[in-house]
Amino acid sequence: MAHTMHDVARRAGVSPATVSRVLSKNPYISAETTNRVLSAVKELHYHRNVHARRLAIGKSDLFGLVISEIANPFFSEIIRGFQSAAWDRGFDVLLLNTEYNPERTQSVVRKLIENDVRGVAVMTSSLDSDVIQTLTREGIAVVLSNLSAPDRLVSNITIDYGRGLSQAIEHIASLGHRRAAVIAGPPSNQTAANIATALVDGLKQRGLDPDPVTHSAYNVEAAAEAVKAIVSTKRTPTVIFCGSDLIAMGVMVALEQAGIDVPSEISVIGIDDIAFSYLVRPPLTTIRVPREDLGVTSFKALNKLLKQKRNRGDEYVIETELVIRKSTAAARTSLLRKKIEALKTGSKLQNL
Amino acid sequence: MAHTMHDVARRAGVSPATVSRVLSKNPYISAETTNRVLSAVKELHYHRNVHARRLAIGKSDLFGLVISEIANPFFSEIIRGFQSAAWDRGFDVLLLNTEYNPERTQSVVRKLIENDVRGVAVMTSSLDSDVIQTLTREGIAVVLSNLSAPDRLVSNITIDYGRGLSQAIEHIASLGHRRAAVIAGPPSNQTAANIATALVDGLKQRGLDPDPVTHSAYNVEAAAEAVKAIVSTKRTPTVIFCGSDLIAMGVMVALEQAGIDVPSEISVIGIDDIAFSYLVRPPLTTIRVPREDLGVTSFKALNKLLKQKRNRGDEYVIETELVIRKSTAAARTSLLRKKIEALKTGSKLQNL
DNA sequence: CTGAAAGCGCTTACAG
DNA sequence: CTGAAAGCGCTTACAG
């Protein structure tokens, strides 16, 4: 069995209270006592039991972070940002993923409450407003990124897609595109719907024809499926705006299979700027969402919320921006020439 | 303040002990009492405090999972497998990441002990054998994947790269390759070193010349750097074996920048088969490591270890296999023709 | 600067 | 089938 504070106390010849004080860095302890206690701790390989500690303190040192799924690289930097911010201030993070599953979502909420987290950043749309109320009723601070209004114990972070979208539309228009398709995220997702609306409005305003406007789940396979309907029409678009980078990647795969070249025949634009977006070919032009910043801001928002007496929520805004990526012309030309050569001479392009 | 079991008891007109029994699904409770308690729980929105519960039980319901970094997609499926296996059995997972940082690594170990986890799966090489001993001394079961021998409270999962490597070498040899470079993972990593050795031996045995044999950290940037030295020599290889898919992707980027075509001039082979490996172009041929299986097996191994009286560790083996990927010839040819056409006519390949 | 004691919110033999 | 009581391992006023 692991040792307890009592064991350490006996060994150091002090009371458990003193051991607790030393370990909590209470300043009113003599240097000598501190040393004796620390030696005993070391000798016994003593570690405090965090469950007992949390129970005694009456508050947990935990903050929750709710995401959809760990496998989605979109969340990676959010996690990193949130974690660092929390650790820097001596808090722990309880990372919970809903996997888009209602049952799991329920158990996520239960865990948040059972663990007595101080606050939670909800970075998925799987939690509806009922659930949010359940949390705030327990005194848990909540920060969301779904455009709901700030409230008691609830702050909101708005990701301002407007700027990035305008830049993207301007970019596309200036390249001479006329017909733009839109594959937004799932319609049940409020953010996705807002982005779709903003895109359609923006495109029209710039004299572009948004057609068709459709949607897809946030994954490669669904997107590949969604794009089929688009390319099978007679009047194909010259650019496809996608609701996320994963959707864009699915689109690129499907276009390739259909024998349609990106970007010479159809350009593709994503949203998020996930880490892999510069590794696909052609590299993905996308609207960057500063996700590490989003994570950090989320934590700070929670902290602020809890420090105020009235727990009044705030509104935060995070900006987006277009990231234009192209293959180096030189490199691509040189590669093409080689491939042309290879095709001509019929030389062994074994893996072609 | 949140309600306690006492509040529920009073409201239901029973003792706290009874509430506890109802909530723990103790069978010897009358249906009527159960209902009264459950109603009170519902009315008060009562949730058990997990810290008090864990303290009273004397054992936590936690299992630890230690990885290097969440952003690395290599770990995604491991997490998923481990989590599902744990949840299915009513346990919770404490996910800890070292970020390759010694300080963080120390605090990871501390957290494992403080949280009184029953067992921990260590999926990173950041924890040395000293640390493992620290854990087992506390009675924590450990499962590793680093080729150390099973021991008391320690099981080992060997990923058998042999099969996948043989298949890859055979594949490459049958395509007529003669000169193979190797960019292994970091030399400090035992697994990386073993893979490098196996590769060199296997290549020689098959009459291929492994040269040069070098290494890189497990990320895109480092790999891109590492490959420069290789292509700058006069005698460039026709295939590069990479210690991971991320390394392979870095290599592909760097080769492209150097104007070297993959795979017609140099073929690239990765290891892992991360989710994105089929999205890069050309799609990556790689050695698949069944990582979800690895996660599930890790959990089962811990469970088994804890159930035995003697806590004797076991040895597990996970197989790998080559995944050959090529672009559809038809699609690529058609795309090439279009690009050729575009180049000839000088038409606007704006983003080319 | 330090100790004795109460209390955090649960669980679980023990007794009935 | 149910309750009173002890105990899990800490922390922290309170007192000195």
Side-chain angles (χ1 to χ4, degrees):
Chain A
M1 221 37 228
H3 291 290
T4 72
M5 205 164 254
H6 190 85
D7 302 326
V8 176
R10 202 171 31 186
R11 180 163 197 123
V14 298
S15 74
T18 299
V19 176
S20 174
R21 292 197 182 95
V22 170
L23 262 23
S24 303
K25 305 210 197 309
N26 179 316
Y28 305 118
I29 301 282
S30 74
E32 204 236 313
T33 304
T34 300
N35 288 335
R36 280 224 309 287
V37 169
L38 259 22
S39 311
V41 165
K42 191 149 284 176
E43 286 162 23
L44 296 179
H45 302 290
Y46 171 72
H47 289 267
R48 274 193 291 199
N49 178 313
V50 75
H51 307 119
R53 177 177 169 68
R54 286 175 181 156
L55 178 58
I57 300 218
K59 281 183 157 285
S60 89
D61 50 349
L62 290 173
F63 278 88
L65 177 57
V66 181
I67 63 174
S68 307
E69 38 172 0
I70 294 197
N72 188 331
F74 173 78
F75 296 106
S76 303
E77 290 90 353
I78 297 181
I79 298 174
R80 173 139 31 125
F82 192 85
Q83 261 190 352
S84 325
W87 285 332
D88 286 353
R89 293 162 184 78
F91 292 107
D92 257 350
V93 174
L94 185 65
L95 181 63
L96 264 15
N97 44 328
T98 68
E99 303 286 336
Y100 302 111
N101 173 339
E103 235 173 82
R104 291 226 358 114
T105 302
Q106 265 211 297
S107 100
V108 161
V109 176
R110 188 170 40 70
K111 280 183 212 292
L112 286 169
I113 298 177
E114 286 183 351
N115 277 278
D116 194 25
V117 300
R118 296 197 184 187
V120 55
V122 179
M123 296 290 125
T124 166
S125 50
S126 316
L127 304 200
D128 58 29
S129 60
D130 277 9
V131 168
I132 304 304
Q133 274 193 31
T134 305
L135 293 171
T136 56
R137 191 178 46 212
E138 299 288 331
I140 299 175
V142 180
V143 54
L144 302 159
S145 170
N146 71 350
L147 310 177
S148 45
D151 199 349
R152 182 180 154 276
L153 275 174
V154 180
S155 280
N156 181 255
I157 302 181
T158 297
I159 299 174
D160 177 16
Y161 290 97
R163 179 166 153 212
L165 289 173
S166 307
Q167 292 175 345
I169 292 170
E170 192 51 43
H171 174 63
I172 280 305
S174 75
L175 288 176
H177 287 273
R178 306 258 104 234
R179 296 189 311 277
V182 174
I183 304 183
S188 57
N189 184 312
Q190 188 55 48
T191 302
N194 289 341
I195 291 176
T197 307
L199 258 175
V200 169
D201 292 353
L203 285 167
K204 282 185 185 156
Q205 216 165 306
R206 195 58 173 76
L208 279 147
D209 181 17
D211 177 52
V213 177
T214 172
H215 50 81
S216 156
Y218 284 131
N219 66 63
V220 173
E221 295 74 22
E225 203 52 44
V227 81
K228 281 185 191 160
I230 294 182
V231 297
S232 66
T233 59
K234 58 273 145 245
R235 214 162 146 280
T236 58
T238 59
V239 56
I240 302 180
F241 282 89
C242 303
S244 82
D245 287 348
L246 283 181
I247 291 179
M249 289 180 190
V251 165
M252 285 171 64
V253 166
L255 289 180
E256 181 186 53
Q257 276 169 3
I260 298 171
D261 184 55
V262 177
S264 68
E265 293 182 274
I266 297 186
S267 293
V268 176
I269 301 210
I271 298 182
D272 289 342
D273 193 24
I274 61 176
F276 282 87
S277 57
Y278 83 98
L279 290 174
V280 295
R281 287 294 170 268
L284 188 58
T285 288
T286 185
I287 294 169
R288 173 178 296 156
V289 177
R291 299 189 302 290
E292 180 137 8
D293 184 15
L294 177 53
V296 172
T297 302
S298 296
F299 184 84
K300 288 187 179 162
L302 290 174
N303 229 5
K304 171 135 184 268
L305 210 42
L306 289 165
K307 267 188 187 131
Q308 290 173 170
K309 46 250 81 212
R310 293 279 65 192
N311 295 138
R312 296 216 52 243
D314 291 301
E315 175 72 28
Y316 299 79
V317 176
I318 290 207
E319 281 303 337
T320 63
E321 65 173 339
L322 181 67
V323 180
I324 299 174
R325 294 214 173 86
K326 354 190 162 190
S327 317
T328 357
R332 272 199 90 186
T333 307
S334 134
L335 285 185
L336 278 183
R337 286 198 198 293
K338 279 177 188 160
K339 285 183 202 294
I340 291 168
E341 214 47 53
L343 275 182
K344 276 190 194 151
T345 63
S347 85
K348 53 147 187 103
L349 270 179
Q350 339 130 344
N351 290 330
L352 183 68
Chain B
M1 221 34 227
H3 291 290
T4 71
M5 206 164 254
H6 191 85
D7 302 326
V8 177
R10 202 170 31 187
R11 180 162 197 121
V14 298
S15 74
T18 298
V19 175
S20 174
R21 291 197 182 95
V22 169
L23 263 23
S24 303
K25 304 209 198 307
N26 178 317
Y28 305 117
I29 301 282
S30 74
E32 203 235 312
T33 304
T34 300
N35 287 335
R36 281 222 311 285
V37 169
L38 259 23
S39 310
V41 164
K42 190 148 286 176
E43 287 162 23
L44 296 178
H45 302 290
Y46 172 71
H47 288 267
R48 274 193 291 200
N49 179 312
V50 76
H51 306 120
R53 177 177 169 66
R54 286 175 181 156
L55 178 58
I57 301 219
K59 280 183 156 287
S60 88
D61 50 349
L62 290 173
F63 278 86
L65 176 58
V66 181
I67 63 174
S68 308
E69 39 170 359
I70 294 197
N72 187 331
F74 173 77
F75 296 105
S76 303
E77 289 91 354
I78 297 182
I79 297 173
R80 173 138 34 123
F82 192 86
Q83 261 190 349
S84 322
W87 284 332
D88 287 353
R89 293 163 183 76
F91 292 107
D92 257 350
V93 174
L94 186 65
L95 181 62
L96 266 14
N97 44 330
T98 67
E99 302 285 337
Y100 303 111
N101 174 339
E103 236 173 82
R104 294 235 343 124
T105 302
Q106 266 212 298
S107 101
V108 161
V109 175
R110 188 168 42 68
K111 280 182 211 293
L112 286 169
I113 299 177
E114 285 182 350
N115 277 278
D116 194 23
V117 300
R118 296 198 185 185
V120 55
V122 180
M123 296 289 126
T124 165
S125 50
S126 316
L127 305 200
D128 58 29
S129 60
D130 277 8
V131 168
I132 304 303
Q133 276 195 30
T134 305
L135 294 171
T136 56
R137 191 176 47 211
E138 299 287 332
I140 299 174
V142 180
V143 54
L144 303 159
S145 170
N146 72 350
L147 310 178
S148 45
D151 200 350
R152 182 181 153 278
L153 276 175
V154 180
S155 281
N156 180 257
I157 302 181
T158 297
I159 298 174
D160 177 16
Y161 290 96
R163 181 166 152 211
L165 289 174
S166 307
Q167 293 175 345
I169 292 171
E170 191 52 42
H171 174 64
I172 280 305
S174 73
L175 289 177
H177 287 274
R178 307 259 102 236
R179 294 189 312 278
V182 173
I183 304 182
S188 57
N189 183 314
Q190 189 55 48
T191 302
N194 289 341
I195 291 176
T197 306
L199 258 175
V200 168
D201 293 352
L203 286 167
K204 281 186 185 156
Q205 216 165 306
R206 195 58 175 74
L208 280 148
D209 181 18
D211 176 54
V213 177
T214 171
H215 51 80
S216 157
Y218 285 132
N219 67 63
V220 173
E221 294 72 23
E225 204 53 44
V227 81
K228 282 187 191 158
I230 294 183
V231 298
S232 68
T233 58
K234 57 275 144 240
R235 216 163 144 278
T236 58
T238 59
V239 56
I240 302 180
F241 283 89
C242 303
S244 82
D245 288 349
L246 283 181
I247 291 179
M249 291 180 188
V251 165
M252 285 171 65
V253 167
L255 289 180
E256 181 185 54
Q257 278 171 0
I260 297 171
D261 183 55
V262 178
S264 68
E265 293 183 275
I266 296 186
S267 294
V268 176
I269 303 214
I271 297 184
D272 289 343
D273 192 22
I274 61 175
F276 282 87
S277 57
Y278 83 98
L279 291 173
V280 295
R281 286 296 170 267
L284 187 58
T285 288
T286 185
I287 294 169
R288 173 179 296 154
V289 177
R291 298 189 302 288
E292 180 136 7
D293 184 15
L294 178 54
V296 172
T297 301
S298 296
F299 185 82
K300 289 187 178 163
L302 289 175
N303 230 3
K304 171 135 184 270
L305 209 44
L306 289 166
K307 270 190 186 128
Q308 291 173 171
K309 46 251 80 216
R310 292 280 63 191
N311 294 140
R312 297 213 51 241
D314 292 300
E315 175 71 30
Y316 299 79
V317 176
I318 289 204
E319 280 302 338
T320 63
E321 65 174 338
L322 181 67
V323 180
I324 299 174
R325 294 214 174 86
K326 354 189 161 191
S327 316
T328 1
R332 272 199 89 186
T333 308
S334 133
L335 286 185
L336 280 182
R337 286 197 197 294
K338 280 178 185 158
K339 286 185 201 293
I340 291 168
E341 213 47 51
L343 275 182
K344 276 190 192 149
T345 65
S347 85
K348 55 152 182 87
L349 271 179
Q350 337 132 343
N351 290 329
L352 184 70

